[in-house]
């Protein structure tokens, strides 16, 4: 390649030598690293065109700069009078290191600019060759054959010429012919070794004989060369040196090799542990002489090329040639006399251990980066797992490594290599499962982003781990022993004691992540960035990921990714194209063109044969998953399409559209199957459950709906985020649904609809045979096999009463509350109440009880044997009680008659029509019909219109193929649902006139055992069965959810609805979504819209009971929130789920997080961002306010002893202030009076009372001129009067007065509107400056004003019914001189110093000059990377909080002395005590934008 480049210059193929650039991979140190290669090429190209631009360091930016410089060079060449090309010679590109997937050559331009020629060389069948042929536009391909005889001779001549030697090439003694005729002389390494043998051969007369004796193969020649070197330098020395070089990962420096050989000589192989090596005393007399090492290196020089030189002029020795490495390994590390490889690693580990911990004190004071890097590797390779655990689980070692830039390597060291020895493998397995090792691995992975950017926080981060973890315990021990500095630590006092769900944070991403995808097998993670690139990571473990490749080719940002198979990845871009990528080769297989606007989403079927894409051009397109060829279009929609998902079986897709609908499509027949309506805004994302039975969809307004994929019915709604949801995904198991939102949270929900509300009872109580809910759903009654009737509070499970009514234990078989419905005909609102409880017993009796006390009202001898069924009408004081018995009869009672009887009542009617026990009975909604079911598989309908003459209206024979066990009427229509031992439910339409049959409307299949009970209300059917499950259905047959309720048979289930009804003429039918075309749907339901009420379900409660002795309560159509993952500081825009609970998310905060979701612990913070935090003067009461409209009150006992104040403040009160954000609060006088300000413009005075029942009483309120941004309270001479400065999101500052404090009627009134600011007022603070009490206000006009009360300035005040002498005086404290105005976002004062923070992150220090009465600017310093939101001053310290998520601690010289990293932007900060109760500790309260309230302690 070099000779070709030389010929280009010599033959004038280029204008000058400057037009030729040559790079040979492996020819020089760093030449194999793609970043170094690109930086060198960019530097040379920039020098050629006189460009002064800075060369970037990031790979993607380097690639872009390289392409740009090629374009500019092309333009310069084209402008020449006689254009000649710029030629780049790149030799051996397949030898590049695999960093950034460099061997795939994806960094080269796909289209080379005009007048630019790139000549590259790669080996046959390499990844580089495949990429050249498939990806790049190659104009010429030249196959280079092995060295021929002439080339071999030229190589020999040049090599020997460097040593002033040559071979005889005369006809009669052609020595050259002998050497080039060897079998493997076509290999350059063979010729190099042969020349070396000739060079060192001392007898000129016998050169020919030597040449003839040279082996024909490279392997034999290597062996012969090693034998010669051993004879010259000693076998042991050579063997040990080469073996050490082979065992080292990155070679050895000369001084390292000298030290290691010396250690080996001193120990003479008698070492078994690392301490044996470390205990060797370094004696200069035992050190191997330098001349010996130099002679050895000179002998090995041929094997060690290329030689690198460090900055200390010490050469790095490496065995880079594969043939050489194999020869050394075969000769010295294999066979009966082989050197023990573990012993070599042990020697290396002992040496590096000594270098890293040079003082032997465990503080790891060494500064040699290589020693820290190599020590864990060699300990693991030597199977020294005890020493390895001690090293990796040492906070001092971790901090020292991170200080040297080895944070990522520290994490990778926990991924131990697999060794061949079975014993070593058992030891490795034991270490990997050791809890201490696991805790430290989790600690490093979770905190890697912190350790990399700020290693000095290692001890602090460990201290703030859960107290039960080893890192936290070790940190406390180090503090007690004072082995690591304790000064400058921030302790998180109310930290979670559960392990953090986040196992890895990646914060070095150059751009925002737009979308994510995990491969189905969890091997790869694809990440798309806003810079149009896609990165591919290998998932070694949830905590350890390795970047493999980067795909470049899109001209617009990538909006969607999907894995087509294990070897192919598809990306969809805003440039209107899709790209199909090869994961193995790294090249683009095909560009899928067809969309005319943004491609918003793509998905692949499970087999990887079909790709579907949707876009803003209304199109749905199908592509071949192997080649990318177009396979057709589905019918174009009428609105842009946002998202698409494939059914798990592959034939059906669902799309989410801008028109608020979801559409189902058949891919095979290319036809639309249906429309799902129910959303009120554009659908953002959709997903099929892994079973294919459900669809989840998220809309722009934040609503998430769950649909039945079979019937198209809406079966549930998810609510829990405070802002819209961007992405959702089911876990591969289908047990979880994950949502990502603009509120910076990722939430994990149960994959099945249905949230457990309570579990009551246990096995000791015996089987529960029946259950009932009262009219409010607040109480649940249960009947037990042992004869007890118990009533519990549904929410708490508290036992209200329990009774038994017979001496012998008689089983309670059925139980019902008498529910009375009353309708207000003026409002058409129906209310339900209950006071009676009816119980059916196994002895044939029916008991009427007082539902509130359990007192017996009446006993009915209903049947000769057990009562099997019971129902009661809902009429107020009349109606029926009906029972079914084991004696084949049903009994009908007048409820009014039962009320008049005190003890025993007789039945009014005996209904005999069944030939087997009557197992179920049910009254219809208007009590004109009765249905009874029996084991004879017959349903009998009775006419009750004439109570005195009950007749059979209809008999339905053969309804089921086995016993009928249960039945229930709809409360809204003439439909009856029945259940049977044949595992099926059936819905019957009883509106027809046939006497012997009824149309079977729907058959419900899905139960796997006999059905035991059924309930039916408002189109919702609930059924239970013997296998312990409860299923919820829509009346159209769609299974909404399955509740795995009990471990044993479920005996009964009931459902209760809390509903809100509106007048019929104002409503539309929106009960269940219909899967039909829009036009047909409108026509079909037009009449129903006018006549039918819309029932708004507010809450549904389901109760079930079982043989396991428990009663379970559920919210069956609500989702169960399993976990809330908090850690992002911006909107979460990308989401992917994997196996074993793995979740990957990314957001606008430029971070990507990997989670392992854990069970959610109760949160005591706010639902959304904390806006303010204040503390009373005595430190006993703390108040926080939030954007969720609440004010939370915290309390702690204050004492002079450290033991009583060491606890964390506890939440004692949650006060709902209003529907708008509560922006600020201040204490007024005592710790009981608090003033709050809100975005609705109200300021409210609260009285906090503490005790057994703490509460907040609203004393007074005032509506101000606009949203309140801050409050500043100033006392007056009168203890019952306080002045309050109120700043608004306007230019006005209001002066309010709080009067009559301590009386029954306190009052708040505005006394003045103050002028000064020209834009929004953002912050305020009280201060005593120059002996005067003032209020400081800062605004968006970059100004700070001070206001002094009790004086007057009529230029700045407009009085409102007050004397002018009460208006304050305005003074300009600070005004920004910058051209770009910044907002003053925070203010604090300490003595005569005022500190102001702005929206950029500057801290401005001001000092009051008493002589002039003005403020002097002392300094202005940029201390944060984001808005400075809060400042706290105490003693000689300044605490600042910022939107960059950090709390920083400064001394008065503005030198940073501490830092704490929050999970989200810091919104407020306050001291909880003005004077430290515990010496050397300042306690603070911190709030962030996620609603978290953190109690911190600064240890100094």
């Amino acid at each position: 390649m070099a000779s070709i480049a030389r010929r280009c210059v010599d033959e004038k193929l280029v204008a000058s030598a400057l037009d030729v650039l040559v790079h040979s991979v492996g020819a020089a140190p760093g030449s194999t690293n793609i970043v170094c290669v690109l930086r060198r090429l960019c530097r040379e190209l920039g020098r050629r065109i006189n460009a002064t631009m800075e060369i970037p360091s990031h790979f993607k930016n380097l690639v872009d700069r390289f392409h740009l410089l090629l374009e500019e060079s092309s333009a310069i060449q084209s402008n020449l009078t006689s254009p000649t090309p710029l030629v780049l010679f790149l030799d051996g590109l397949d030898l590049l290191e695999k960093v950034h997937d460099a061997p795939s050559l994806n960094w080269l331009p796909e289209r080379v600019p005009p007048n630019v020629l790139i000549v590259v060389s790669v080996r046959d069948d390499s990844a580089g060759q495949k990429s050249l042929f498939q990806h790049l536009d190659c104009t010429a391909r030249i196959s280079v054959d092995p060295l021929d005889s002439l080339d071999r001779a030229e190589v020999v001549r040049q090599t020997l010429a460097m040593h002033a030697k040559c071979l005889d090439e005369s006809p009669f003694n052609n020595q050259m012919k002998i050497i080039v005729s060897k079998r493997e002389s076509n290999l350059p390494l063979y010729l190099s070794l042969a020349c070396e043998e000739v060079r060192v051969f001392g007898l000129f007369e016998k050169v020919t004989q030597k040449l003839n004796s040279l082996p024909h193969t490279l392997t034999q020649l290597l062996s012969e060369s090693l034998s010669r070197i051993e004879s010259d330098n000693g076998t042991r020395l050579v063997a040990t040196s080469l073996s050490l070089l082979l065992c080292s990962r990155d070679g050895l420096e000369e001084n390292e090799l000298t030290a290691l050989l010396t250690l080996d000589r001193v120990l003479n192989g008698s070492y078994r542990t690392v301490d044996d090596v470390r205990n060797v005393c370094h004696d200069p007399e035992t050190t191997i002489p330098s001349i010996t090492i130099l002679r050895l290196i000179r002998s090995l020089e041929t094997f060690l090329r290329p030689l690198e030189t460090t900055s200390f002029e010490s050469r790095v020795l490496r065995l880079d040639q594969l043939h050489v490495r194999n020869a050394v390994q075969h000769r010295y590390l294999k066979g009966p006399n082989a050197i023990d490889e573990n012993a070599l690693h042990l020697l290396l580990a002992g040496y590096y251990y000594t270098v890293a911990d040079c003082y032997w004190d465990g503080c790891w004071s060494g500064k040699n980066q290589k020693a820290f890097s190599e020590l864990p590797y060699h300990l693991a390779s030597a199977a020294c797992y005890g020493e390895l655990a001690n090293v990796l689980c040492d906070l001092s070692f971790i901090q020292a490594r991170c200080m040297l830039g080895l944070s990522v390597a520290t994490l990778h060291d926990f991924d131990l290599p697999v060794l061949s020895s079975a014993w070593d493998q058992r030891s490795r397995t034991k270490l990997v499962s050791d809890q201490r090792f696991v805790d430290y691995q989790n600690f490093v992975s979770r905190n890697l982003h912190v350790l990399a950017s700020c290693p000095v926080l290692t001890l602090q981060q460990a201290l703030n781990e859960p107290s039960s973890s080893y890192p936290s315990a070790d940190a406390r021990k180090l503090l007690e022993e004072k082995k690591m500095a304790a000064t400058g630590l921030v302790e998180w006092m109310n930290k979670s004691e559960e392990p953090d769900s986040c196992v890895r944070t990646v914060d070095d991403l150059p751009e925002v992540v737009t979308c994510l995808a995990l491969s189905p097998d969890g091997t790869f993670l694809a990440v798309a960035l806003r810079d149009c690139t896609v990165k591919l990571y290998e998932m070694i473990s949830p905590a350890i990921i390795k970047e493999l490749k980067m795909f470049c080719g899109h001209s617009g940002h990538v909006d969607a990714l999907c894995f087509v198979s294990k070897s192919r990845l598809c990306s969809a871009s805003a440039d209107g194209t899709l790209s199909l990528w090869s994961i193995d080769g790294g090249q683009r297989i095909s560009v899928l063109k067809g969309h005319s606007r943004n491609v918003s989403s793509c998905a692949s079927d499970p087999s990887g044969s079909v790709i579907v894409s949707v876009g803003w051009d209304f199109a749905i397109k199908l592509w071949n998953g192997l080649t990318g060829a177009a396979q057709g279009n589905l019918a174009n929609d009428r609105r842009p399409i946002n998202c698409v998902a494939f059914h798990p079986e592959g034939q059906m897709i669902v799309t989410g559209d801008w028109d608020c609908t979801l559409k189902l499509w058949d891919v095979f027949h290319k036809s639309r199957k249906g429309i799902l309506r129910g959303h009120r805004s554009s659908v953002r994302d959709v997903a099929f459950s892994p079973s294919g039975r459900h669809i989840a969809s998220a809309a722009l307004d934040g609503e998430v709906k769950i649909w039945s994929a079979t019937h198209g019915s809406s079966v549930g709604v998810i609510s829990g985020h405070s802002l819209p949801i961007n992405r959702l995904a089911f876990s591969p198991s289908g047990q979880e649904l994950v949502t990502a939102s603009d509120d910076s949270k990722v939430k994990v929900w149960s994959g099945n609809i249905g949230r457990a509300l309570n579990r009551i009872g246990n096995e000791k109580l015996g089987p529960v045979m029946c259950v009932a809910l009262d009219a409010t759903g607040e109480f649940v009654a249960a009947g037990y096999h042992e004869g007890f009737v118990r009533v519990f509070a549904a929410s708490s499970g508290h036992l209200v009463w329990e009774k038994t009514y017979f001496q012998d234990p008689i089983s309670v078989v059925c139980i019902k509350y008498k529910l009375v419905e009353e309708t207000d005909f003026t409002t058409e609102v129906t209310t339900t109440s209950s006071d009676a409880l009816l119980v059916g017993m196994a002895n044939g009796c029916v008991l009427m009880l007082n539902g509130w006390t359990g007192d017996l009202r009446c006993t009915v001898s209903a049947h000769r044997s057990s009562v099997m069924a019971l129902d009661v009408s809902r009429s107020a004081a009349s109606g029926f009680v009906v029972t079914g018995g084991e004696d084949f009869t049903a009994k009908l009672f007048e409820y009014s008659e039962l009320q008049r009887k005190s003890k025993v009542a007789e039945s009014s009617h005996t209904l005999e029509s069944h030939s087997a026990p009557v197992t179920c009975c049910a009254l219809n909604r208007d009590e004109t019909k009765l249905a009874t079911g029996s084991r004879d598989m017959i349903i009998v309908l009775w006419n009750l219109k004439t109570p005195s003459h009950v007749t059979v209206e209809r008999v339905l024979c053969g309804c089921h193929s086995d016993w009928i066990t249960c039945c229930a009427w709809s409360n809204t229509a003439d439909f009856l649902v029945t259940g049977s031992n044949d595992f099926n439910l059936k819905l019957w339409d009883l509106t027809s006139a046939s006497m012997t049959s009824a149309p079977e409307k729907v058959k419900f299949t899905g139960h796997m055992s006999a059905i035991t009970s059924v309930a039916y209300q408002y189109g919702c059917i609930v059924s239970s069965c013997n296998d312990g499950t409860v299923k919820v259905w829509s009346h159209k047959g769609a299974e909404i959810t399955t509740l795995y309720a009990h471990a044993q048979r479920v005996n009964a289930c009931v459902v209760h609805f809390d509903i809100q009804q509106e007048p019929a003429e104002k409503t539309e039918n929106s009960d269940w979504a219909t899967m039909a075309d829009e036009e047909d749907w409108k026509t079909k339901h037009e009449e129903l819209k006018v006549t039918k009420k819309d029932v708004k379900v507010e809450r549904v409660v389901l109760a079930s009971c079982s043989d396991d002795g428990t009663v379970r309560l559920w919210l069956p159509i609500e989702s169960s929130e399993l976990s809330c993952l908090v850690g992002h500081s911006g909107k979460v825009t990308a989401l992917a789920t994997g196996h074993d609970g793995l979740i990957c998310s990314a957001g606008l905060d430029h971070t990507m997080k990997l989670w392992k979701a854990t069970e959610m612990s109760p949160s005591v913070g706010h639902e959304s961002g904390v806006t303010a935090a204040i503390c009373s003067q005595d430190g006993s009461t703390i108040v926080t306010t939030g954007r969720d409209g609440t004010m939370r009150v915290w309390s702690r006992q204050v004492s002079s002893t450290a033991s009583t104040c060491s606890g964390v403040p506890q939440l004692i009160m949650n006060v709902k202030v209003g529907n708008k954000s509560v922006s600020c609060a201040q204490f007024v006088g005592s710790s009981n009076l608090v003033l709050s300000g809100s975005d609705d413009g109200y300021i409210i005075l609260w009285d906090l009372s503490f005790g057994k029942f703490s509460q907040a009483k609203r004393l007074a309120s005032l509506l101000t001129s606009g949203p309140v941004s801050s409050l500043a309270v100033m006392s007056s001479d009168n203890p019952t009067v306080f002045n309050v400065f109120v700043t608004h999101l306007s230019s006005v500052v209001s002066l309010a007065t709080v009067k009559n404090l301590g009386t029954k009627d306190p009052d708040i009134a505005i006394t003045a509107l103050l002028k000064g600011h020209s834009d929004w007022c953002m912050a305020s603070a009280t201060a005593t400056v120059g002996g005067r009490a003032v209020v400081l206000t800062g605004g968006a006009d970059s100004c700070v004003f001070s206001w002094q009360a009790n004086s007057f300035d009529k230029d700045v005040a407009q009085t409102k019914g007050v004397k002018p002498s009460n208006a304050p005086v305005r003074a300009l404290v600070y005004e920004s001189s910058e051209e770009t105005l910044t907002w003053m976002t925070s203010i604090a004062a300490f003595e005569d110093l005022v500190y102001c923070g702005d929206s950029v992150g500057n801290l401005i220090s001001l000092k009051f000059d008493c002589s002039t009465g003005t403020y002097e600017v002392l300094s202005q310093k940029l201390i944060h990377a984001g808005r400075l939101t809060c400042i706290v001053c105490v003693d000689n310290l300044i605490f600042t909080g910022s939107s960059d998520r950090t709390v920083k601690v400064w001394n008065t010289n503005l030198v940073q002395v501490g830092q704490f990293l929050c999970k989200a932007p810091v919104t407020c900060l306050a001291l909880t005590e003005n004077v430290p109760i515990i010496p050397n500790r300042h306690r603070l309260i911190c709030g962030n934008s996620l609603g978290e309230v953190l109690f911190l302690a600064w240890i100094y």
Side-chain angles (χ1 to χ4, degrees), residues 147 152 179-187 190-191 216:
L147 294 174
R152 300 175 198 177
I179 194 170
V180 300
S181 62
K182 298 293 183 180
R183 188 190 311 165
E184 292 188 358
S185 62
N186 60 333
L187 301 176
Y190 181 94
L191 295 177
H216 282 267

Side-chain angles (χ1 to χ4, degrees), residues 603-616:
S604 170
D605 72 329
S607 66
S609 58
V610 179
I611 299 171
V612 61
S613 62
V614 298
W616 289 6

Side-chain angles (χ1 to χ4, degrees), residues 488-810:
L489 290 182
V490 178
E491 182 182 1
W492 184 4
M493 295 192 295
N494 64 330
K495 63 186 178 184
S496 172
E497 292 301 331
E498 296 295 328
D500 196 340
S501 299
C502 182
V503 297
R504 177 72 188 276
T505 297
V506 180
D507 66 343
D508 57 352
L509 299 171
E511 289 287 345
V512 170
V513 176
T514 56
C515 53
L516 298 166
L518 272 166
S519 62
D521 60 357
T523 305
F524 300 110
L525 170 65
V527 181
L529 304 177
R530 188 173 286 173
D531 61 5
C532 313
T533 63
V534 178
K535 289 190 174 186
L536 186 69
Y537 293 88
E538 180 186 4
M539 298 291 297
I540 299 173
S541 71
I544 303 175
I545 60 175
K546 178 183 178 182
E547 183 177 342
L548 295 179
K549 293 178 173 65
M550 185 170 69
F551 304 117
C552 304
H554 284 292
S555 60
H557 56 82
V558 178
D559 289 325
L561 292 168
C562 71
F563 280 90
V564 182
S565 68
K566 292 183 179 180
S567 60
R568 296 186 305 281
L569 174 71
C570 183
S571 58
S573 171
D575 61 10
T577 68
L578 295 94
S579 291
L580 190 61
W581 308 90
S582 169
I583 293 176
D584 298 330
Q587 74 276 3
R588 183 155 55 180
I589 299 172
S590 178
V591 179
L592 287 58
K593 297 181 180 179
H595 287 278
S596 58
R597 295 183 64 188
N598 293 25
V599 186
S600 53
S601 183
C602 63
S604 170
D605 72 329
S607 66
S609 58
V610 179
I611 299 171
V612 61
S613 62
V614 298
W616 289 6
D617 56 358
F618 318 158
I620 305 173
K621 295 186 178 292
L622 302 176
W623 315 85
N624 186 293
L626 293 173
T627 64
Q631 289 187 339
N633 300 340
L634 300 180
N636 278 20
D637 213 327
R638 293 173 294 175
R639 293 286 188 275
I641 307 172
N642 285 329
C643 47
V644 66
F646 248 107
H647 190 279
E649 295 179 0
Q651 186 168 333
M652 186 184 298
I653 65 169
V654 61
T655 60
D657 299 7
W658 280 23
D659 63 2
C660 314
T661 66
L662 282 78
K663 295 182 177 65
L664 291 167
W665 305 82
D666 187 324
V667 175
F668 184 79
H669 296 97
K670 295 183 173 62
S671 61
R672 190 177 71 191
K673 304 297 292 183
I675 302 175
L676 311 184
R677 295 181 177 85
H679 283 294
R680 297 183 296 273
S681 60
S682 175
V683 180
R684 278 191 169 185
D685 201 10
V686 293
F688 271 102
S689 66
S691 66
R693 295 168 57 187
H694 293 102
I695 301 170
S697 61
L700 187 64
D701 59 3
E703 182 182 49
V704 174
K705 283 184 174 289
I706 309 297
W707 311 79
S708 167
T710 307
H711 300 82
S713 303
S714 174
V715 297
V717 177
I718 291 177
S719 58
H721 287 282
S722 59
L723 290 174
I725 294 171
N726 296 313
R727 291 288 181 267
L728 54 79
F730 281 97
S731 65
S733 66
Q735 297 298 312
E736 298 87 22
L737 175 66
V738 186
T739 56
S741 170
D742 279 353
D743 63 6
S744 306
K745 296 177 182 177
V746 177
K747 292 198 174 186
V748 183
W749 313 84
S750 171
N752 292 321
I753 298 297
R755 178 159 64 92
L757 187 62
N758 206 345
R759 184 178 187 271
I760 301 172
N762 52 57
E763 291 182 358
K764 295 180 180 179
L765 299 178
V768 190
M769 307 305 297
C770 49
V771 67
L773 286 166
D774 80 324
T776 63
E778 295 179 0
F779 297 95
V780 57
Y784 289 78
H785 181 69
E786 300 296 327
F788 283 90
V789 176
R790 295 183 174 93
V791 174
F792 302 92
S795 59
S796 64
H798 172 71
L799 178 64
V800 179
W801 59 263
E802 68 172 350
K803 288 191 177 182
T804 183
Y805 300 93
F806 299 93
Q807 291 183 351
D808 297 326
I810 299 174

